[in-house]
Each structure stands twice: as structure tokens, then as C-alpha cells.
Amino acid sequence: EAMNYFMREVSKAMNRESGRTNQVFGGPHHRTVIKSRLYYHHAYKYVYRNPIEAGICQKAQDYPYSTLRGFLGLQKLDFPAFDNNDLITNPKGQLDWLNAAYPNPDYLDEIRGALKHPEFEFQADRNTQRYSELKFQLY
């Protein structure tokens, strides 16, 4: 309910400010419980790579609307945020990992699908055939 309210009010405000009447968000919000560190890493990389996959930028840290830029000290964030994925202790390794393409293009579909379930789970986890493939190097 909170996300529904947030998205509705943000859409109204953005349309009012821009004079637009078009859809602001691409689709409904899906909440997903992520229970493992491995799954968290997959979701983390997927989110930060979205602008790269969309062709908006070449590197994750170049997307101007990302919290990543604030965590790296490239711009000030206007809200409190916390990154618990080693950006402070290993920024080069973390950025190399975020900016590296997935070893298999099918991983994007796997992750996108897993994020639409109430609990993050790869299809491969259910049939265990590709699970080891999905454990690609984190960083």
C-alpha cells in the first residue's frame, strides 16, 4: 500500500510539474524478500546495471540519478542512505564488478523473473540444473 501511494503521488507531481499526462512508471511495484547474500548480490548488480542495459550510460557510476554516485562521493545525496556492499572498503573491485556485463545474457531474464516473485528465487533453483551457472563471480 505504501509503494502504491508513493508511486501514485510521485506520478501526479511529476505530471503536474512537467505538464505531461503520460505514464511515469513502467509498471507495478513488486516486493520481493531476498533471503540469501548471493541473491542480494544478483539484485544489487541488476538494479545498478539497469541504466547500462538501457543504453543510458556506459558505467553504473555515470548515471546521475543513482545513489551509487553519492556512496562514491561523486555527488551529495539529499537523503540518508546506506550501502552495505563493500563500496567503501573496495570501490575499484565493486565498480569493476558492477560495470562488467553478465557472463550470460540469459541472467538478466533470470534475475528479472526472480524479482517478480514474493521471494527471490531463480527458476534454476527449482530444477537445480543451472544453479551453479548462476553463481557467477561476485567481484
Side-chain angles (χ1 to χ4, degrees), residues 12-55:
K12 286 179 187 177
M14 288 178 72
N15 284 333
R16 189 172 41 253
E17 289 291 320
S18 67
R20 295 175 26 170
T21 57
N22 296 332
Q23 180 176 336
V24 172
F25 295 103
H29 166 73
H30 298 279
R31 70 170 184 245
T32 302
V33 175
I34 300 174
K35 291 187 174 180
S36 82
R37 187 89 172 141
L38 175 66
Y39 286 171
Y40 174 78
H41 284 288
H42 282 289
Y44 183 94
K45 181 168 181 166
Y46 175 82
V47 167
Y48 279 126
R49 282 194 58 80
N50 266 339
I52 297 169
E53 299 298 333

Side-chain angles (χ1 to χ4, degrees), residues 54-78:
I56 296 171
C57 61
Q58 298 288 318
K59 295 184 177 193
Q61 65 268 30
D62 294 340
Y63 186 60
Y65 306 104
S66 173
T67 54
L68 185 60
R69 295 184 55 76
F71 296 141
L72 294 169
L74 300 173
Q75 73 185 46
K76 182 183 177 298
L77 294 176
D78 294 329

Side-chain angles (χ1 to χ4, degrees), residues 104-116:
N104 181 332
D106 292 341
Y107 291 165
L108 282 172
D109 290 334
E110 289 274 356
I111 296 167
R112 189 177 297 117
L115 286 168
K116 289 184 179 178

Side-chain angles (χ1 to χ4, degrees), residues 1 3 11 15 35 44 82 88 91 110 115 127 136-137:
E1 289 179 34
M3 283 306 294
S11 292
N15 284 333
K35 291 187 174 180
Y44 183 94
F82 174 75
I88 294 169
E110 289 274 356
L115 286 168
N127 63 26
F136 58 88
Q137 183 176 356

